[in-house]
Amino acid sequence: MSSSSPTADSGARPAAAVPAGPAPLMGSTLWITAIALALGTFMQVLDSTIANVSVPTIAGNLGVSTSQGTWVITSFAVSNGISVPLTGWLMGRYGVVKVFVASVILFTIASFLCGIAWNLDALILFRVLQGAVSGPMIPGSQALLMMIFPPNKRSTALAIWSMTTLVAPIFGPILGGWISDNMSWPWIFFINLPVGAICAFISWRSLSDRETPTFSRPIDRTGFALLVVWVGALQVMLDTGKDVDWFSSPAIVVETVVAIVGFIAWVIWELYDKNPIVSLQLFKTRNFTLGVIVMCIGYAIFFGNNLLMPLWLQTQMGYIATWAGLVAAPSGVIAVIMTPFAARMLNKYDARILATVSMIFFSLSFYMRSLYTPDSSFFVLAAPMAVMGVAMSFFFIAMVSISLNGVPGPAVPAASGLSNFARITAGSFAASLATTIWDDFEANHQTRLSEIMGGPAGGSNAVGTAINGAHALGLTTQQGAGVLVRQVMGQAYLGAALDFFRISAIIVLLLIPLIWLCKETRPNGPVTVAAD
């Protein structure tokens, strides 16, 4: 990959280098194969979002709490993030085509297993497997799209790849919601079966004789094992801490120690190993370090809010899964419409400007959500999501361009893989923290509301008035008390959600100074390859 233009290369090629290979495909074969490869990307991204609105349904059917149900999301995200660093080694050792097709087939099998899961433990196990085998799907599809298109049409290949990554999050919540409401939750996994079969068959038939060169390179087994240990321990700690009162539990203390020691050992090993699974030397480049930090924090906030929103709508606002998905739809629609314009602007303006615009729109979206009320209409709920779509269209292309500006051309694939690993891992942690923070905020609001209602300043009279009103509607005292408790909990969860949105708006604004500490990303200018 060339390193002559940060906007053309760094901003537009976030996943993989263009593999050397035979002549590009032509005619109908080209487009059929391109669609099949795009389906691979679509399926993987879809599965990372389709379960978001289905968590309450899955949890209810399996007899577990909603907070336990979020493991369905975090288990997939963690295992997918851990598997990403292995992608480069696998493709170099066995070839891009073989690895991609094998990944699609295994992903399809894992999807079937998820659909037949008999309890939450089995579903989480199969989701871990699904995430682990899906690591090569996105970078593999992008690399193969770049290979089969002529050089003068590779922008078309990138457009196809980018559109699928933006369209899938639109259909994920909507499709997941519709399936949960009208069919049964296993079908959110079964729908992958025909898609995966078609993708694998066409890809292998068209590309099996176009395999990329392979080479033998030792794999960093120790580094990978340490990565699994510290990421796994940290994720388990984050997911189970709230259920066992955090550090009052010896298990949480042990998991925290394992995560910290494992992380330190992993960093030391990766810095000195000759063939590290993750090249931490890339963090010597200022733009890469700051860009990855901003991308991870920004994506974590984005992911956490996207998880919290449908949970709140379904558990507290009475929305069915389908309508909870439709509330989120405007963000994807606007992102698809705006992304081509954002890409053109990246060729004219410093990427730091676009990243700043993105953070401002993210903050505006979260602030608008912090103004929700118990009787907010569908359009009031959806309006901030449309604003977030504008932020999404600028965020990814700008931050990738900033983080890869200054990275030497040969190191761009490794840098892209590392940034993707960090981003995916940050998203999985955010999924755990979002529900934990929401529950903690809710408990504080509920305590405060109970104190006010039962306090000496006439609060007890308010309770009595409410119970009398329930009697007037034909309810017993016990029924009236139940309605009152439900109202208090609803108000507490609403207040907790508003706090979460408001804090998110502040944090993304605080990221803007970090963006401007990065070096300028000049449109059509040379990339600085020297480390800072």
Side-chain angles (χ1 to χ4, degrees), residues 217-218 220 269-277 279:
R217 188 181 70 184
D220 179 15
W269 180 269
E270 295 299 279
L271 287 175
Y272 292 100
D273 188 67
K274 293 181 179 179
N275 297 285
I277 193 170
S279 180

Side-chain angles (χ1 to χ4, degrees), residues 69 87 516:
T87 298
W516 288 94

Side-chain angles (χ1 to χ4, degrees), residues 425-498:
T425 304
S428 66
F429 293 161
S432 298
L433 289 174
T435 53
T436 299
I437 294 171
W438 190 37
D439 287 339
D440 289 345
F441 284 179
E442 184 275 335
N444 291 332
H445 277 278
Q446 189 173 153
T447 299
R448 181 59 180 156
L449 286 171
S450 299
E451 290 174 351
I452 293 174
M453 295 180 66
S460 57
N461 293 334
V463 174
T465 301
I467 296 296
N468 290 334
H471 289 162
L473 294 174
L475 300 178
T476 64
T477 299
Q478 186 176 7
Q479 290 172 331
V483 171
L484 183 60
V485 169
R486 173 62 183 155
Q487 289 291 324
V488 170
M489 289 184 62
Q491 289 292 330
Y493 272 112
L494 171 62
L498 300 186

Side-chain angles (χ1 to χ4, degrees), residues 313-321 323-324 327 376-379 381:
L313 290 175
Q314 291 178 82
T315 59
Q316 305 301 322
M317 295 290 284
Y319 274 60
I320 61 174
W323 283 98
V327 168
S376 292
S377 67
F378 173 87
F379 294 102
L381 294 171

Side-chain angles (χ1 to χ4, degrees), residues 113-131:
L113 294 174
C114 288
I116 64 171
W118 49 91
N119 57 33
L120 182 65
D121 291 339
L123 179 56
I124 291 172
L125 174 63
F126 296 142
R127 282 287 276 178
V128 169
L129 175 63
Q130 190 185 39

Side-chain angles (χ1 to χ4, degrees), residues 365-387:
S365 172
F366 297 141
Y367 174 73
M368 291 172 67
R369 295 189 217 184
S370 72
L371 302 178
Y372 286 158
T373 62
D375 58 351
S376 292
S377 67
F378 173 87
F379 294 102
V380 171
L381 294 171
M385 306 305 290
V387 174

